Amino acid sequence: MTSRPEHLPERLALISDVQAAEYISAGLLEGREDVPSIALNKVAEPLPGDDARMRLHRVRDLIDHALDRFRDERPTAADAWLAPRLHETLRLTRREAAEKRFWTYLALGVAPDYVVWRHLSEPKADGSHGSVARDKFVGPHRKQTFARLWWAAELFRDGSDYRTAVVACGNQDMLNSALRLDVIDHRPTALALVRLMERGTVRTGREVNALTTAINAAAATLMYDVIAPDVERDGEPLRDWISAAESSLPSPREHLPEGPEEERAPEEAVESLVGHFEELFVDAQVRGRTSDESQ
C-alpha cells in the first residue's frame, strides 16, 4: 500500500496537472508505489511568506489522525469527521480554495497514502488490482479527495456551526450529488436539504439523488434566493478567523471545531424551502419507488 511521504517540506505548495501527470503512475493508482516526494517537490511551487495556514505539518498531522482513527472502519466513514476539521485547519477563502493546483499538491505531495486508502477500489473478480480514479488526485472540486471535503464543509456549514456539514458528509450520495449543483451555493437551499435528511424525509441514496435532481430542475424557473433570501455576507468574521490561524490550536479531534463567526442562515428561509422541497420530493422520480410510496 502507498506509504506516507518521507521527505515533506515545511510549507504547502502548488503543482499543475501537467506536472502532476508524471507522478500519477499505474502503480500509485493501484496502491503499489509511492510518490517520489523529493523529485515532486523540486517541481512544485512553494507558497510564499510565513502564513501559519500554509504550514504543511498542521494538515499532515490531521490526516495522520484520520488514518489512525478510521483504519479499521469503512474509509467513507472518515469524510464526515475530516471535512470540518480540514476546513478549520486550512482557513481558506473561496478564492484560495478555487486554486486547483493547491488541492493537487495536497493529494500528491502531502497525503497520497490517504487518497489511496480512501478511494482504492476492491480487487476485480479476475484477480487484477483495484485502483484509484485519477480524478481523486487531479479532478474537479466535486471529485478531488480533499477539495470535495473542503467545499462540502464550506457550503453546508451554518455560520460557525459545522454540524450540518457533518450530516451532509455522512451521506455519500448527498456529498456526490449536491456538489454538482450550482444552487447549493445558496445557503438556505443547502441547509434545507440537510434538514430533510435529519427528519428522515429522504434516507436512501436513490431518494437523495431524486430530490437533488428535482431541486436543480425546479431552479430553472424558481429563484430560491428570491423566495428564501439569505443574509448578506459580511467578510469581516472570515478575515478575523483567518488572522487567528497564527495563534490557533490544532483542530480538535474529539469535538467539532468552530468556523468563522458569521451570521446563521435565516430560519424562516430554510423552513420555507423545506416545505417546498417536500412537495418536490412527492413527485420526484425515485428509482424503485412505487406510486403508493410517493403518496
Side-chain angles (χ1 to χ4, degrees), residues 125-146:
D126 62 6
S128 57
H129 291 279
S131 64
V132 177
R134 289 178 63 88
D135 58 21
K136 301 306 178 186
F137 285 99
V138 294
H141 77 278
R142 67 180 187 273
K143 292 185 176 182
Q144 204 270 357
T145 298
F146 298 112

Side-chain angles (χ1 to χ4, degrees), residues 15-53:
I15 190 165
S16 70
D17 286 2
V18 172
Q19 292 168 321
E22 182 178 345
Y23 303 98
I24 304 177
S25 65
L28 173 65
L29 295 177
E30 292 176 357
R32 297 182 290 103
E33 294 178 0
D34 294 331
V35 174
S37 56
I38 293 177
L40 181 139
N41 279 295
K42 285 182 179 179
V43 301
E45 178 186 337
L47 289 164
D50 191 33
D51 189 333
R53 299 175 302 151

Side-chain angles (χ1 to χ4, degrees), residues 155-156 173-182 184 193 212:
L155 295 171
F156 283 104
D173 291 282
M174 177 64 78
L175 192 54
N176 294 334
S177 298
L179 290 183
R180 298 173 179 270
L181 310 180
D182 289 339
I184 214 68
L193 271 170
T212 53

